[in-house]
Amino acid sequence: MKKTLKTMEVKKLKKTLLVMGIIFVAIGMAVGYADAQISGPCSGCHTMHNSQDGAPMAQAFDGTPLATAQNNLTVSTCLGCHNGQAVGAPIIFGTVTRTAGGTFADTVFTTDQKGHNVKDLVDAGILTTGAESTAGMIGNPPGAEAGGYTEPTGLTLTCAGTLGCHGNHDAGAGNSVTGFHHGTYPNAYRFLRFYDGAAHTDIQGKGSPTWESGGATAANHNVYYALANDGVATRDSISSFCSLCHGDFHDDGDTMSGGVWTRHPTEEVIPAAWDAIGTGVTVDYERNPFAFNGADYAALTPALAYDMPNNPRVACISCHRAHASDEDDALRFTYTDMVAGGGNDWGCLGCHTAQR
């Protein structure tokens, strides 16, 4: 009888903590808490001894118990926490791409060319067949630049760590995000930091408090930071971060030849005249997010609409999603639908207004 009552009390406590966690997260979103800091019950993300009623508390991506305790006493892995194991964490396995980073859902990420092939996905058994198998993983990143940061090759890209995207690059995958969730690095947008092999630089950005879940709107969207020009030494823009692995797609010396672009530029201001050329130019916050610099960046918040007069700049993220999308090359739009004179006002034609 005592055991039965104890079990009931534990279940009641778990339910109470879950409800409290949801309430705390809802309050946090309502007041727009800082991008790099979370709030709510510790039990939503941590377990002290990884044991409850003799069974492990930590859970894998699919909810099965993890016999091995996780670093920092977390209740799950990166993938598990961001699939619902940790209350309030952004879900990166949605059935649609309408979040800022896209989605790793297997219904969307169906081929090797639709996103970043993260080793964590294969280790968890999420990507196991066809082009996503170990044998199908690509080698060097497209646009890899010789020297400097060591880019991941083959099946070595991870969510975080030395060859990952999030956290500190000089720490192992299990410890690289230590402190980030609790505001130790409050200026690192989405826990992203540029790494030159010796020191880290926080990437700047102003994030939607809901991670653009359900789609970006004029009142709720990310604001990305761009460098004043490609020669700036402090690499703290979103495109600078992408250049860690895709350096040849970023540097002016590789993208311009004889005054003519040979690869699409980044950090470049879109000519103000293009706004005047287009008829009824509109901003598609989801399929054409811009980046800004200086006073233009400082003046913008996720709740403030922007348009061509704010000196928008092109960033890698203007065309691509960070995780994966249902388009080849993790694009935000269907490339083959870009038809000059076809009437579209998004994608390529979101900036190149004269070609509409």
Side-chain angles (χ1 to χ4, degrees):
M1 182 64 177
K2 290 182 179 179
K3 184 176 181 180
T4 302
L5 287 174
K6 181 180 178 182
T7 301
M8 291 175 64
E9 289 172 358
V10 169
K11 290 182 178 179
K12 184 177 180 180
L13 176 60
K14 287 181 179 179
K15 184 176 181 181
T16 301
L17 290 173
L18 176 62
V19 173
M20 287 176 64
I22 294 173
I23 291 173
F24 269 89
V25 170
I27 293 174
M29 287 184 174
V31 300
Y33 54 74
D35 176 63
Q37 188 167 349
I38 60 174
S39 60
C42 302
S43 59
C45 298
H46 300 282
T47 174
M48 296 303 97
H49 302 289
N50 194 37
S51 177
Q52 188 71 56
D53 293 336
M57 289 288 289
Q59 297 181 355
F61 166 80
D62 58 0
T64 57
L66 286 172
T68 303
Q70 300 299 291
N71 285 358
N72 305 309
L73 308 180
T74 52
V75 298
S76 189
T77 60
C78 294
L79 300 183
C81 284
H82 291 280
N83 188 43
Q85 304 302 336
V87 178
I91 305 299
I92 58 174
F93 295 97
T95 56
V96 295
T97 58
R98 299 191 68 197
T99 55
T103 176
F104 284 129
D106 55 9
T107 55
V108 173
F109 191 6
T110 55
T111 71
D112 183 59
Q113 299 300 319
K114 294 187 181 295
H116 281 104
N117 300 303
V118 185
K119 184 175 185 292
D120 308 57
L121 298 173
V122 176
D123 290 344
I126 300 166
L127 299 180
T128 58
T129 60
E132 302 107 317
S133 67
T134 301
M137 292 293 173
I138 59 174
N140 292 317
E145 187 175 34
Y149 178 72
T150 302
E151 302 94 350
T153 59
L155 188 59
T156 57
L157 177 65
T158 52
C159 294
T162 306
L163 296 179
C165 290
H166 301 283
N168 289 318
H169 296 272
D170 57 355
N175 296 310
S176 59
V177 295
T178 300
F180 280 85
H181 291 88
H182 294 293
T184 304
Y185 306 95
N187 299 317
Y189 175 76
R190 302 307 192 211
F191 305 165
L192 303 176
R193 309 188 83 194
F194 185 87
Y195 185 57
D196 64 3
H200 287 92
T201 301
D202 293 341
I203 299 301
Q204 295 193 58
K206 302 176 183 180
S208 155
T210 61
W211 308 284
E212 294 186 2
S213 178
T217 65
N220 187 353
H221 59 80
N222 295 329
V223 175
Y224 300 102
Y225 178 75
L227 302 179
N229 58 71
D230 230 12
V232 174
T234 303
R235 313 298 277 181
D236 53 355
S237 71
I238 190 69
S239 293
S240 295
F241 181 77
C242 298
S243 76
L244 281 172
C245 293
H246 309 283
D248 279 347
F249 291 164
H250 185 262
D251 183 64
D252 271 353
D254 293 320
T255 57
M256 181 169 281
S257 176
V260 178
W261 293 110
T262 56
R263 290 186 177 130
H264 201 290
T266 56
E267 319 285 15
E268 295 293 318
V269 176
I270 299 173
W274 293 13
D275 188 34
I277 293 173
T279 301
V281 174
T282 57
V283 175
D284 190 319
Y285 296 90
E286 186 175 332
R287 291 181 289 188
N288 285 116
F290 297 135
F292 301 88
N293 178 263
D296 297 302
Y297 173 77
L300 291 167
T301 69
L304 181 65
Y306 55 68
D307 53 20
M308 292 292 197
N310 291 120
N311 300 311
R313 296 167 183 262
V314 177
C316 301
I317 213 74
S318 296
C319 298
H320 303 278
R321 296 190 185 275
H323 295 151
S325 78
D326 49 4
E327 303 288 347
D328 286 343
D329 305 316
L331 283 171
R332 291 175 174 267
F333 50 85
T334 304
Y335 188 53
T336 54
D337 283 350
M338 299 296 101
V339 179
N344 290 333
D345 58 2
W346 45 268
C348 299
L349 301 173
C351 298
H352 299 272
T353 56
Q355 284 73 31
R356 295 182 183 181

